[in-house]
Amino acid sequence: MSKPAQRSESELLFQMIKNRYGHLLKPEQLEEVRSQVELALCTSEEMKAVKLSETDSPAIGFRPYRAKR
Amino acid sequence: MASLAAFTPIRHLGEMVRTKQVSPVELTEFALRRLERLGSKYNAVVTITREKALAQARAAEKEIVRGKYRGVLHGIPYGAKDLLATSGGIRTTWGTAPYRDQVFDYDATVVKKLEAAGAVLAAKLAMVELAGGAGYRHPNASFTGPGISPWNLEGWSGGSSSGSGSAVSAGLVPFALGTETWGSIMWPANHCGVAGLRPTFGRVSRHGAMEASWTMDKIGPFASTADDCGLVLEAIAGNDPDDETTTAPPFKYDARDRRKRRFKLALLQGSTEGVEPAVKANVEAVLALLERERAATVEEVAVPDMPYEAVARTIISAESADAYQEFTDAGLGPQLTAESSRRGLYARYAIPASDYIRAMRIRRLMCRQVDAILAKYDAVVGPSYQTVAPTIDREFNYAFSGKARDIIGALGNLAGLPSISVPNGFGDRRLPTGIQFMGRAYDENRILAVARAYQGLTDWHLRHPPGTTPDA
C-alpha cells in the first residue's frame, strides 16, 4: 500500500474509533490512539508480506458440537 | 514440631507435613503472618483469604491425622493471581478499580484442582489491570499500586502476574499461580528471581480465569525451584470439559534425576542482541557452565525470518477487543489506573477480521516451522527478559506495544510452547536476571529436567531478597 493510501485508510479507521469512543478520550489520548491505529496498519503490511499458499489454513480448531445424549 | 522457614521448597514442606513434623494449620498461619506483614511492602496482595485458608488448613490437618494424605501439596499454602475466580465472597478484581468488588459464585478449575490436592488458598495476588491487555506501558498499571520486586524496592516486579512473582520471591507463600498471554509469567520470574513455568497451551484449564486472548492465555506456577513447578503443574494440569482448549494427554511429573544425561540445547540466534550486558553475560555463563560440567551441548539456532511479534500483537489485540468489549462499551476505560491503559483499549477495534485470519494462517505455518527446529533439541534457550527489573517510575519497553523485540516470547506464545524461567545471576542495581528453557509442545518434563540440572549446579535459587528473613 502506498504511503498516502495507508494514511487515508488509517484516518478512516481512526475516525471510526473516534466516533465510537471519542467521548471517553481527551485530545492527547486520541492522538495516541491515532498512532496506535497507524501501528496496526504497519503490522498488517508486515503480515501481508509473508508468502502463504492455498493450503496454509488458519490455526483455528473449530469442531462441530453434538451433545452426549 | 520442626521449626518453619520461608523459602523451604514444596517437596521438603510436603514431607514435613506428611511426617507430621509440621501441621497445615501451623504452616498456613506462618504464611498468613508473612502475607500480612510483608505483602503491602511489595504491593503483592489484593486479598488475604485468612478465613478460607484456616478452614482448608484445619480440614487438611484432620485428614492427615486420620491417615488420609492427598499428596505433596496437602496442607501447603499458595496464592492465586487475582483473575482466577473464587467463590465464598472472595473478590476477584482483575487488577482493576472498576472491578474492585467483583465476586463470582464459582471457583476456577485450577482453584478446584488445588483444593482437591489439599492445597490451601492463602491470598489473591496483585496483577496488572486486565492482565496488561489494555496496552499498559508503566509499572503503576494496577489499582493496588505498582508491583515491587523484593530485591530492590525501586524495581518493578513485572507483569502481569506481579504479585505471584513477588509473593514467592519474598517467601510469603511457597507457590503461586500466574497467567501468561505473552510474557506475564516469564517477566515476573525474571524480575523477582524465582522459577516460573509457562505450560503448553491447553495443558491447564482456563475455566474461571479472566479471558484476554482465547488462543494464547495459559496458567502456570511460580515457585522457588523448577522441581516445585513440576509438582504444582501435575496438580493443575488435565482435561476439563469446561475449557474446550484443554488437551487430552495427562501430565505426570517425572522428577527422576537426569544429571547423567547430556542435554542438547540451542541458543536462539539474536536473542541476546541488544539486551542489557549483564543479561547477555549471565546467559552465556549458564551455557558455559552446562558445557563445562558436561551437562549439555550448546549450539546456536536460527528461526525463519517471520513477523512473530506482529502476528502475536494482531491475535492478542483482535481477541482482547472482544474480550474487553463489555468493559470498553460500558465506558470503564477512564477508570483504569495507568494513563497508558486508559488510551490503550481502543485502536484494536480497527483491526479487520481479514488481518486476524491472516495472522492465524501465518501462526499455523510458524508452529510447524518452529516444531521442526525444536525437534532436534531438548530446549531452546534465551533470556527471560531483555533487562533486569525496570524502575517503577518510568515507561518500560513492552513488545506488545511495538517498542521492543521479544522473538522467543512471541513465537513461544504463538506456538503455545512450554517454557521455564529460572534465576541465573544478577545485573544492574543488584536485581536478578533469568534464563528460559523452551521446549516442544507437551515437553514440560524435558525442560523441567534441564532447569533442575542447572539448579543442581548453582545456588541462585537459594539466595533471597534483603529484608525477607526466613522466620515469621
Side-chain angles (χ1 to χ4, degrees):
Chain A
M1 194 189 293
S2 68
K3 281 262 163 99
Q6 198 173 333
R7 214 169 295 132
S8 142
E9 189 173 322
S10 158
E11 188 55 29
L12 283 170
L13 291 168
F14 170 70
Q15 288 301 330
M16 182 192 78
I17 301 288
K18 191 178 169 190
N19 188 46
R20 206 187 286 180
Y21 300 112
H23 65 288
L24 297 170
L25 293 158
K26 296 174 195 154
E28 64 274 17
Q29 291 174 323
L30 274 169
E31 279 314 300
E32 175 67 22
V33 172
R34 187 196 296 274
S35 61
Q36 288 168 2
V37 171
E38 282 163 9
L39 174 67
L41 272 184
C42 294
T43 298
S44 177
E45 290 301 309
E46 255 189 276
M47 292 195 301
K48 281 175 193 156
V50 176
K51 290 243 180 305
L52 293 173
S53 73
E54 277 303 299
T55 56
D56 287 321
S57 55
I60 296 173
F62 169 75
R63 279 171 298 187
Y65 175 75
R66 181 173 161 146
K68 289 177 192 164
R69 284 244 159 229
Chain B
M1 289 282 175
S3 66
L4 274 171
F7 312 111
T8 306
I10 296 170
R11 188 177 285 285
H12 188 192
L13 282 177
E15 188 55 18
M16 288 168 79
V17 170
R18 189 187 70 80
T19 55
K20 302 186 184 73
Q21 294 174 64
V22 65
S23 80
V25 171
E26 194 184 3
L27 195 51
T28 298
E29 281 175 341
F30 181 84
L32 291 171
R33 279 198 300 276
R34 285 185 74 85
L35 284 159
E36 283 158 357
R37 186 164 64 85
L38 294 169
S40 60
K41 185 174 174 184
Y42 311 116
N43 289 334
V45 177
V46 180
T47 306
I48 296 173
T49 54
R50 173 171 271 281
E51 208 176 305
K52 182 181 178 87
L54 287 172
Q56 286 184 322
R58 286 187 199 108
E61 194 157 313
K62 266 188 197 164
E63 283 189 344
I64 292 164
V65 167
R66 284 191 206 130
K68 188 185 174 188
Y69 181 64
R70 292 180 187 231
V72 70
L73 297 185
H74 204 172
I76 308 292
Y78 77 98
K81 185 174 179 177
D82 204 26
L83 52 56
L84 297 168
T86 41
S87 61
I90 297 169
R91 62 191 178 146
T92 302
T93 68
W94 299 356
T96 64
Y99 292 152
R100 64 169 72 233
D101 298 316
Q102 177 172 245
V103 288
F104 291 92
D105 61 359
Y106 65 96
D107 290 318
T109 296
V110 283
V111 172
K112 283 199 273 193
K113 278 181 169 280
L114 285 174
E115 184 162 19
V120 172
L121 177 67
K124 300 294 291 292
L125 299 173
M127 57 180 280
V128 170
E129 49 197 351
L130 297 177
Y136 75 123
R137 292 181 195 171
H138 295 84
N140 71 342
S142 172
F143 87 107
T144 49
I148 292 169
S149 171
W151 287 95
N152 180 331
L153 300 185
E154 290 173 1
W156 181 38
S157 59
S160 63
S161 308
S162 319
S164 306
S166 59
V168 170
S169 171
L172 312 186
V173 281
F175 75 95
L177 294 183
T179 63
E180 171 154 331
T181 306
W182 179 359
S184 291
I185 290 176
M186 294 296 110
W187 303 345
N190 180 79
H191 298 358
C192 296
V194 296
L197 172 63
R198 179 186 78 216
T200 306
F201 177 83
R203 183 67 99 179
V204 178
S205 167
R206 290 99 39 93
H207 176 66
M210 187 206 84
E211 287 143 350
S213 171
W214 284 276
T215 70
M216 289 184 66
D217 295 340
K218 283 85 57 185
I219 298 175
F222 289 84
S224 296
T225 65
D227 182 46
D228 281 356
C229 286
L231 295 172
V232 178
L233 180 61
E234 183 173 308
I236 61 173
N239 200 15
D240 177 12
D242 288 329
D243 179 353
E244 288 188 359
T245 65
T246 48
T247 35
F251 176 74
K252 179 84 187 142
Y253 176 42
D254 180 0
R256 281 176 295 175
D257 191 349
R258 303 274 182 191
R259 269 178 292 181
K260 282 182 188 146
R261 191 175 154 201
R262 207 166 177 189
F263 296 103
K264 203 169 171 196
L265 305 181
L267 175 67
L268 187 67
Q269 204 173 71
S271 65
T272 55
E273 273 170 31
V275 305
E276 214 167 82
V279 170
K280 183 173 191 222
N282 291 347
V283 166
E284 287 169 353
V286 171
L287 300 179
L289 173 73
L290 291 171
E291 284 197 302
R292 198 168 58 243
E293 294 291 331
R294 302 182 67 77
T297 59
V298 183
E299 50 192 81
E300 206 169 82
V301 68
V303 290
D305 184 22
M306 297 276 265
Y308 299 102
E309 290 117 320
V311 172
R313 267 200 305 274
T314 302
I315 292 168
I316 295 170
S317 295
E319 293 183 0
S320 62
D322 189 62
Y324 304 148
Q325 181 91 63
E326 199 179 315
F327 182 92
T328 309
D329 287 356
L332 297 175
Q335 293 180 46
L336 289 171
T337 301
E339 169 58 25
S340 45
S341 304
R342 285 185 218 134
R343 63 190 186 222
L345 275 172
Y346 308 97
R348 68 195 69 196
Y349 293 99
I351 295 173
S354 57
D355 276 10
Y356 177 70
I357 297 296
R358 182 153 196 100
M360 292 300 259
R361 289 178 70 198
I362 301 171
R363 182 184 199 179
R364 183 166 173 268
L365 184 65
M366 284 173 177
C367 288
R368 284 156 193 247
Q369 289 174 339
V370 170
D371 184 63
I373 292 165
L374 280 170
K376 299 175 199 148
Y377 304 101
D378 290 303
V380 166
V381 179
S384 303
Y385 194 73
Q386 299 91 335
T387 65
V388 296
T391 53
I392 52 173
D393 57 353
R394 67 179 177 93
E395 183 172 336
F396 59 90
N397 287 331
Y398 182 28
F400 181 63
S401 67
K403 287 202 157 191
R405 298 220 71 188
D406 177 21
I407 291 176
I408 194 167
L411 80 83
N413 281 291
L414 276 171
L417 305 178
S419 192
I420 182 161
S421 172
V422 289
N424 67 338
F426 291 89
D428 198 21
R429 293 172 283 128
R430 290 302 293 163
L431 280 158
T433 62
I435 185 166
Q436 60 174 305
F437 301 102
M438 186 172 81
R440 294 180 84 183
Y442 308 108
D443 265 356
E444 282 90 348
N445 271 324
R446 202 175 287 222
I447 58 169
L448 285 164
V450 178
R452 280 200 315 271
Y454 172 64
Q455 293 199 311
L457 295 169
T458 56
D459 68 352
W460 303 115
H461 58 293
L462 302 176
R463 303 185 193 194
H464 306 299
T468 58
T469 47
D471 58 308

